[in-house]
Amino acid sequence: MAMPDENTVFEWTAVIMGAEDTDWEGACLKLRMKFADTYPNKAPEIKFVTKMFHPNIYKDGRICLDILNEKWTPSYSVHTILTSI
């Protein structure tokens, strides 16, 4: 689930529920998404708000994911991004 903040469409809150049969089962993982005015030509900045340990998540919550960097394409939707995460 993801939705824009009440005061701006450029900042969103997203929630990913932990998948069954994983270490995150039952977890409610919160993320912040910030969209530049150049979106969709530039990927949004996404950080986990929920503290967690994962090799692809930096200590500050940033996510190491190729589609948010060098593999970004404007055809990716918020749904696609969250599914990839």
Side-chain angles (χ1 to χ4, degrees):
M1 175 189 88
M3 58 190 298
D5 289 354
E6 189 174 307
N7 297 323
T8 177
V9 297
F10 293 106
E11 295 188 23
W12 290 36
T13 299
V15 175
I16 298 174
M17 302 306 292
E20 290 183 24
D21 298 324
T22 70
D23 290 340
W24 297 279
E25 182 174 5
C28 180
L29 308 171
K30 187 175 178 181
L31 300 100
R32 294 289 302 152
M33 305 176 77
K34 292 185 180 183
F35 298 86
D37 58 1
T38 54
Y39 178 82
N41 294 318
K42 182 179 184 275
E45 293 178 21
I46 303 174
K47 286 186 176 183
F48 272 93
V49 174
T50 304
K51 298 289 184 196
M52 61 182 296
F53 174 78
H54 189 278
N56 290 353
I57 301 172
Y58 300 107
K59 287 184 179 183
D60 67 357
R62 290 179 299 122
I63 302 165
C64 180
L65 183 63
D66 60 352
I67 70 162
L68 295 177
N69 295 300
E70 69 277 355
K71 301 274 183 171
W72 174 255
T73 177
S75 65
Y76 291 139
S77 66
V78 170
H79 180 267
T80 303
I81 296 167
L82 293 177
T83 300
S84 295
I85 294 171

